[in-house]
Amino acid sequence: ETGVTQTPRHLVMGMTNKKSLKCEQHLGHNAMYWYKQSAKKPLELMFVYNFKEQTENNSVPSRFSPECPNSSHLFLHLHTLQPEDSALYLCASSQDRRQTGNTGELFFGEGSRLTVL
Amino acid sequence: AQKITQTQPGMFVQEKEAVTLDCTYDTSDQSYGLFWYKQPSSGEMIFLIYQGSYDEQNATEGRYSLNFQKARKSANLVISASQLGDSAMYFCAMREVYNFNKFYFGSGTKLNVKP
């Protein structure tokens, strides 16, 4: 079982649809992230949750709505998206303990490739 | 100003040769961490190596080593004995100590290993 699992892997939706991306981590981490990766652009941090509390919202439009019911699950609810929202959406987790030996690196899922028509 | 700069959009290397991927960073913090990730065409970002700003020795992980030059604010990734499976995008990232959850990523370098 992989550490961070994302579903669906591919999603095609119209601008009026409502869909959700799901992320689940099996690593016992307490921080979870959504990143957006568009062609030829650096990874863009969207949201961070730490112990289920949102600690970062990087000026993301309200048509993206995150939900973190527990430390293992993270959702990204999508509605009335635009074609420019087409991208690879990556979920990640990390262990947020500032202790010696813990590098706190991000563990990523394989991503959800979203196409908005 | 960009926090992480990767100036090589694409690189070619012959199989079995070594290659260096460049990364420079910008921070006024004394304590920070530097990371390298590999992203194959499948999409998943794979953690390769970490260097802490207070680590005196360059980090090494198998065929990966990090050439850390603190005064120059550079953290280049060296891959020795390149393999065909090393063909991928490579991203440099930094995290500053005051915000443990905020990672800054570079724009990446596409490495192609030629047989």
Side-chain angles (χ1 to χ4, degrees), chain A residues 9 31 33 35 37 42-43 48 50 55-56 88 90 94-98 103-106 108-110, chain B residues 2 35 37 39 41-47 50 91 95 97-107:
Chain A
R9 293 291 313 281
Y33 310 71
Y35 280 88
Q37 187 176 30
L43 264 72
V48 182
N50 212 331
T55 57
E56 189 89 24
L88 181 67
L90 289 162
S94 72
Q95 185 67 325
D96 185 13
R97 279 209 310 257
R98 294 154 175 79
T103 61
E105 72 268 24
L106 293 169
F108 285 87
E110 291 183 298
Chain B
Q2 279 188 313
F35 304 78
Y37 285 85
Q39 187 179 38
S41 55
S42 59
E44 182 183 2
M45 299 274 281
I46 302 165
F47 167 70
Y50 167 82
F91 293 93
R95 180 189 59 215
V97 70
Y98 71 89
N99 192 338
F100 205 75
N101 293 136
K102 192 154 189 176
F103 290 75
Y104 299 93
F105 282 85
S107 54

Side-chain angles (χ1 to χ4, degrees), chain B residues 27-33 50 52-54 70 95-98:
Chain B
T27 181
S28 55
D29 275 14
Q30 295 303 307
S31 181
Y32 49 89
Y50 167 82
S53 58
Y54 289 116
K70 195 169 182 176
R95 180 189 59 215
E96 294 165 323
V97 70
Y98 71 89

Side-chain angles (χ1 to χ4, degrees), chain B residues 70-111:
Chain B
K70 195 169 182 176
R72 299 177 64 178
K73 293 188 176 178
S74 76
N76 298 339
L77 177 70
V78 180
I79 306 175
S80 62
S82 297
Q83 302 172 357
L84 296 178
D86 294 333
S87 294
M89 283 290 289
Y90 288 82
F91 293 93
C92 179
M94 177 181 67
R95 180 189 59 215
E96 294 165 323
V97 70
Y98 71 89
N99 192 338
F100 205 75
N101 293 136
K102 192 154 189 176
F103 290 75
Y104 299 93
F105 282 85
S107 54
T109 296
K110 175 96 167 95
L111 177 66

Side-chain angles (χ1 to χ4, degrees), chain A residues 21-33:
Chain A
L21 306 181
K22 178 183 174 183
C23 177
E24 184 175 359
Q25 59 100 356
H26 309 277
L27 301 167
H29 292 163
N30 48 32
M32 295 189 76
Y33 310 71

Side-chain angles (χ1 to χ4, degrees), chain A residues 32-51:
Chain A
M32 295 189 76
Y33 310 71
W34 280 117
Y35 280 88
K36 176 183 178 183
Q37 187 176 30
S38 306
K40 299 182 181 179
K41 290 175 76 174
L43 264 72
E44 300 173 59
L45 177 64
M46 299 177 74
F47 302 103
V48 182
Y49 279 82
N50 212 331
F51 291 101

